Amino acid sequence: MENYLIWASIAAVLVGLSKGGLPSVGMLSVPILSLFMSPVKAAVMLLPIYVISDMVGIWLYRKNFSAINLRILIPAGVAGVVIGWLTTSVVSDVAVKLLIGVMGIGFCVNTWLKRKSEQTARPANVKKGLFWGTVAGFTSFISHAGAPPFQVYMLPQKLPKTEFAGTATILFAIINAAKIWPYQQLRPYAYEDLMGAAVLIPFALIGTVVGAYLTKKIADVWFYKFVQFGLFVVSVKLIVDAVSTF
């Protein structure tokens, strides 16, 4: 029980850090809790923590976000949630993890192999945004793993770090809110689930504030290196998890 509380608290802090502006790290929360419970139960229990952290994150980044990207990504993300809900009985978690991992690694390798002269900032793109936004909503619904598709779309734009972080925070706040009713239909929250989540909320809130502070202090170049490195590590983890089930 003591080990569970320690690791669960770490998972909650990671959720908070991701909402504070350090993307990808929050994706490690489900694997951590999966050491003590089923991945499905872990995802369900973490949703209230995500939602509460989202509220703080929205307030912290209320002035820093890309409006044009949110106009593209929000409807796409909600559509992805609906697709995830409708296909949850036929879509394999293993296949989703493998797909996300391959996409993430492919993006990182492609970015690192390009010459600096080719790495010019790209503008927001409606078609790409709708595609990757839908994928982000879908993968977020399946396993809270929406960050890699979002980053594949957003990183080439080379936005200021606070604008990038704020866009991610607001987008996933809306996606997480859209997941509440479908989650309740698929696996109704038990009293013990809510109580377990309530215990972890203070750790998530602390992580959110710390994440926002670190985001503002880290230089832009190192912030994006951290994001790319985090995307690569999480992608490898997802592939390993998927392959280990075969």
Side-chain angles (χ1 to χ4, degrees):
M1 181 65 177
E2 182 179 348
N3 287 336
Y4 162 73
L5 289 176
I6 292 174
W7 285 105
S9 300
I10 292 174
V13 170
L14 291 174
V15 170
L17 287 172
S18 70
K19 296 304 172 183
L22 300 177
S24 295
V25 294
M27 288 178 57
L28 300 175
S29 58
V30 171
I32 287 175
L33 284 188
S34 296
L35 297 173
F36 304 93
M37 61 185 71
S38 73
V40 174
K41 184 174 182 179
V44 170
M45 195 181 83
L46 283 171
L47 182 57
I49 298 172
Y50 271 97
V51 171
I52 296 297
S53 300
D54 285 333
M55 296 178 183
V56 179
I58 287 176
W59 183 82
L60 290 172
Y61 288 103
R62 62 193 182 279
K63 297 180 180 179
N64 302 101
F65 57 86
S66 170
I68 186 172
N69 278 299
L70 287 179
R71 284 196 293 269
I72 298 170
L73 293 171
I74 288 174
V78 173
V81 169
V82 174
I83 293 172
W85 176 37
L86 295 176
T87 62
T88 188
S89 61
V90 296
V91 176
S92 166
D93 285 358
V94 174
V96 172
K97 286 183 178 181
L98 189 60
L99 178 62
I100 298 170
V102 170
M103 287 190 304
I105 289 179
F107 171 79
C108 289
V109 172
N110 181 58
T111 299
W112 295 336
L113 291 179
K114 283 183 177 180
R115 297 178 180 177
K116 290 183 179 180
S117 59
E118 297 176 335
Q119 296 182 14
T120 55
R122 301 177 184 175
N125 183 286
V126 175
K127 291 183 179 179
K128 291 181 179 179
L130 290 176
F131 173 76
W132 288 113
T134 302
V135 175
F138 174 77
T139 55
S140 178
F141 183 86
I142 298 298
S143 59
H144 296 313
F150 169 82
Q151 292 165 4
V152 169
Y153 169 67
M154 290 294 296
L155 282 173
Q157 297 183 37
K158 299 183 180 295
L159 298 177
K161 60 183 179 181
T162 53
E163 190 173 331
F164 176 92
T167 303
T169 297
I170 295 172
L171 171 65
F172 286 107
I174 294 173
I175 287 177
N176 287 331
K179 286 152 57 175
I180 295 175
W181 190 82
Y183 268 38
Q184 182 67 12
Q185 300 303 307
L186 294 172
R187 188 187 186 282
Y189 284 98
Y191 176 78
E192 62 178 14
D193 295 329
L194 295 176
M195 290 300 98
V199 172
L200 301 177
I201 286 174
F203 296 97
L205 296 180
I206 292 173
T208 304
V209 175
V210 172
Y213 174 79
L214 292 176
T215 298
K216 293 179 180 178
K217 293 298 181 180
I218 299 174
D220 283 29
V221 62
W222 286 105
F223 175 82
Y224 280 105
K225 285 183 178 180
F226 172 83
V227 173
Q228 291 174 5
F229 177 74
L231 173 59
F232 184 83
V233 171
V234 171
S235 297
V236 171
K237 169 65 176 172
L238 290 171
I239 292 176
V240 171
D241 288 347
V243 172
S244 65
T245 62
F246 295 145

